Amino acid sequence: MRGLQRLSLCDWPGRSCCVIFLGGCNLRCPTCHNFELAWNMESQPLFARSKLLLFMAERKRWLNGVTVTGGEATCAPGLGELLYEIRKIGLPVKLDSNGMRPEILAEALDSGLAEHCAVDVKGPYSMYPALSGDRVTAVEARGNLESVFALAERRPGAFSFRLTRVPGLTGDDIETARGYLPAGHTLTLQTYRAPRRAHAHADHEARRPVGNVVNG
């Protein structure tokens, strides 16, 4: 783990949760707010798992869940073990993901290690090469997200979808992306704000106070 936000009222709507930050990512999005954590996680101090678990055990009466984010959480080694330890404490888990590893999301949900997945839909499939820093093709993006959408159809309420209005996306692009979602799901739009500091905001929102993120 590379960081902990002790309390958030916006990362899991309707719940008070803590937020765990994991390092590493399989994409290189040029608009990433979280680039140091995503691309150079060794530059961020490690947060001891034992310390994290103790914190959650002591605070679970005030928490309604745990959001696990990144970077890209599905790329983190030992993710399943971490989620299992959180569930043993008795807290439900929400996973944040770019959706490019749908098999990990399916495994986490099927095993009961995660209750909810929040997936970023970055734009039209044709724009994914540019939006991802050439780390995924349009064909790969379509295949992965269609697998996620199929999961969402089978698990009503287990998924939410969001899109950040990054530079270069038009209204038509957003409507195209919105049209990908399965029936009954909505696309939450997030305002893009250019990073003001050398490190990033793990939830892609510039309003996250740096003082609430604890490292080391």
Side-chain angles (χ1 to χ4, degrees):
M1 285 76 67
R2 299 287 171 171
L4 169 69
Q5 183 174 343
R6 297 176 182 273
L7 179 65
S8 171
L9 301 178
C10 63
D11 281 273
W12 194 343
R15 302 199 186 203
S16 58
C17 67
C18 66
V19 184
I20 298 171
F21 298 89
L22 305 180
C25 188
N26 50 353
L27 304 183
R28 291 294 183 271
C29 305
T31 54
C32 182
H33 281 280
N34 212 12
F35 54 90
E36 286 192 355
L37 184 62
W39 310 342
N40 187 26
M41 63 179 177
E42 291 79 10
S43 67
Q44 306 299 308
L46 278 171
F47 193 94
R49 180 177 295 189
S50 58
K51 182 178 178 181
L52 170 73
L53 296 173
L54 178 61
F55 165 80
M56 289 188 292
E58 291 176 343
R59 300 293 183 87
K60 70 176 183 177
R61 71 174 65 182
W62 295 288
L63 297 173
N64 302 125
V66 177
T67 291
V68 180
T69 189
E72 171 54 33
T74 63
C75 292
L79 175 64
E81 181 182 352
L82 172 63
L83 299 185
Y84 176 74
E85 291 175 333
I86 296 171
R87 294 296 296 122
K88 278 177 59 179
I89 292 172
L91 289 168
V93 172
K94 166 180 162 281
L95 272 179
D96 287 350
S97 177
N98 58 33
M100 294 298 103
R101 302 191 73 191
E103 71 282 1
I104 303 298
L105 301 181
E107 182 178 347
L109 290 169
D110 290 343
S111 62
L113 297 181
E115 180 177 303
H116 191 87
C117 297
V119 176
D120 292 313
V121 181
K122 296 186 177 296
Y125 300 136
S126 62
M127 295 183 69
Y128 259 76
L131 293 170
S132 70
D134 289 318
R135 291 304 176 104
V136 63
T137 67
V139 172
E140 290 168 335
R142 179 171 185 159
N144 288 330
L145 285 176
E146 286 185 347
S147 293
V148 171
F149 297 148
L151 282 172
E153 285 185 315
R154 297 195 298 270
R155 292 178 170 273
F159 281 86
S160 56
F161 299 99
R162 56 203 186 182
L163 180 149
T164 302
R165 298 176 189 254
V166 300
L169 282 182
T170 67
D172 287 344
D173 294 331
I174 292 171
E175 290 309 307
T176 296
R178 195 192 308 276
Y180 298 153
L181 271 59
H185 290 80
T186 59
L187 185 65
T188 299
L189 301 183
Q190 299 183 152
T191 301
Y192 172 78
R193 303 180 194 277
R196 296 181 180 179
R197 299 187 295 273
H199 60 279
H201 307 278
D203 63 351
H204 306 290
E205 297 176 4
R207 68 176 178 269
R208 182 189 296 278
V210 66
N212 287 346
V213 178
V214 180
N215 289 311

